[in-house]
Amino acid sequence: MSQLPWLLAANGTLTSVDAKTIDELPKIGMGTWITFDHDPATADLNHFKAILNAFFTAGGCMIDSSPMYGFAQALLGKVLSKSQYEALFAATKVWTPGKQLGVEQMEQSIALWGQGQMDLMYVHNLLDWQTHLPTLRDWQAAGRIKNYGVTTSHGRRHAELIKIMQHEPLDYVQFTYNIMDREAEQYLLPLAAEKGVKAVINRPFQGGGLFARVRGHSLPSWASEIECKTWAQFFLKFIISHPAVTCAIPATSQLNHMKDNMMALKGALPDASMRVKMVAYFEQI
């Protein structure tokens, strides 16, 4: 069982309704990989509008996307224009080799979102990061983006990410961390805390793999102590209770799943001893 030398993290709260002056992000955001990859010309826009409205109503703020995700950015832009929200933290990525192609892709992403300025631009899966980081710094200085960073996923390329974090000034990093994939506890999360880099967590449900593992199993009776009523809340509260985690970004195209995910923002979070207990219970299933 993993050792967890961490204190209880405070639950994230939104301290400003102005998206340009958000000081602290709610700890549950929204991913769009696969779930929003639908052509806006044929998609049920009211369905996706309902998902976004549920997200914002529950206190959500960060939405994460990428050019890699097909129609996701186009659908987001279409639905955001029809949605009501007080604050949005818009995060996307550059995912192409070469400086000029990167600039063109980022310009297209900003246009698709319809936001004018992005709150966060990552280099997706470290693709040609040495070329893109200087561009991102220039864009930040010019006010085109507010923050920049790099991402990995599926637990890959941690060693390279660690080197980048050690030598490059980043605002954000994104990587995989969940109750099964806990390698990030050893170096990435402590390093993010040490460097003051905000850590965003992808694949919080391991692409649905965590639910497959616990299918047919009930939550432990003591889950009520941290106000978990579903496995989704159990898995998300494990992640966001780590003090180095800024935000987790589960993705869904189901309204009831969105509402369930956002309930992880409510109530108590596990402390260090409870987190150890959660891991032990999960591993014996």
Side-chain angles (χ1 to χ4, degrees):
M1 180 166 54
S2 171
Q3 297 300 309
L4 303 169
W6 299 102
L7 299 176
L8 176 63
N11 196 356
T13 57
L14 185 63
T15 58
S16 171
V17 298
D18 181 351
K20 304 310 177 192
T21 58
I22 292 170
D23 297 316
E24 187 176 4
L25 289 168
K27 284 183 173 283
I28 302 296
M30 174 183 143
T32 57
W33 179 58
I34 297 179
T35 56
F36 268 62
D37 183 12
H38 299 276
D39 187 342
T42 57
D44 181 354
L45 297 184
N46 286 330
H47 171 72
F48 289 97
K49 178 181 175 181
I51 291 171
L52 284 188
N53 285 342
F55 172 72
F56 289 125
T57 299
C61 188
M62 175 185 277
I63 299 180
D64 176 275
S65 197
S66 170
M68 180 186 177
Y69 303 163
F71 287 108
Q73 295 191 113
L75 180 57
L76 268 176
K78 195 76 171 179
V79 179
L80 281 168
S81 69
K82 300 177 181 294
S83 302
Q84 295 182 342
Y85 54 90
E86 293 183 325
L88 166 67
F89 189 95
T92 193
K93 309 175 184 79
V94 56
W95 185 62
T96 188
K99 178 176 181 177
Q100 186 56 37
L101 287 176
V103 167
E104 293 172 2
Q105 188 178 73
M106 291 190 293
E107 295 276 11
Q108 182 182 40
S109 291
I110 290 176
L112 288 172
W113 280 72
Q115 295 299 307
Q117 179 194 51
M118 298 303 296
D119 294 290
L120 172 58
M121 186 73 73
Y122 294 107
V123 180
H124 196 163
N125 283 336
L126 307 184
L127 179 61
D128 202 8
W129 65 267
Q130 297 95 331
T131 297
H132 295 311
L133 283 185
T135 302
L136 295 182
R137 293 189 189 105
D138 289 344
W139 277 39
Q140 184 183 55
R144 303 293 312 277
I145 59 175
K146 290 188 66 177
N147 303 277
Y148 66 89
V150 296
T151 80
T152 65
S153 59
H154 297 77
R156 301 181 184 130
R157 302 178 72 179
H158 281 188
E160 185 176 2
L161 178 57
I162 288 168
K163 289 181 180 179
I164 295 171
M165 292 172 65
Q166 288 172 333
H167 299 289
E168 299 287 343
L170 303 172
D171 300 310
Y172 282 77
V173 290
Q174 184 186 127
F175 47 81
T176 297
Y177 173 57
N178 56 61
I179 200 168
M180 179 179 286
D181 300 314
R182 304 192 304 279
E183 180 184 346
E185 292 173 356
Q186 303 305 314
Y187 297 105
L188 283 176
L189 286 166
L191 183 59
E194 175 188 335
K195 295 290 187 180
V197 179
K198 295 179 174 63
V200 177
I201 304 305
N202 59 41
R203 294 176 57 82
F205 301 137
Q206 204 190 50
L210 299 187
F211 295 116
R213 175 161 174 164
V214 300
R215 187 173 295 120
H217 295 270
S218 299
L219 287 171
S221 59
W222 42 262
S224 61
E225 297 175 25
I226 51 172
E227 301 177 57
C228 287
K229 295 182 179 180
T230 67
W231 279 110
Q233 295 166 27
F234 187 91
F235 295 143
L236 289 172
K237 286 200 172 192
F238 175 80
I239 294 168
I240 67 175
S241 62
H242 194 295
V245 168
T246 297
C247 186
I249 49 170
T252 184
S253 60
Q254 301 299 315
L255 180 58
N256 60 326
H257 290 171
M258 175 59 75
K259 292 179 178 178
D260 186 8
N261 292 344
M262 298 309 291
M263 288 300 295
L265 285 176
K266 309 297 182 182
L269 288 178
D271 61 13
S273 61
M274 176 66 79
R275 285 168 55 82
V276 171
K277 196 174 180 180
M278 294 168 80
V279 170
Y281 186 83
F282 176 81
E283 289 186 336
Q284 59 85 35
I285 291 176

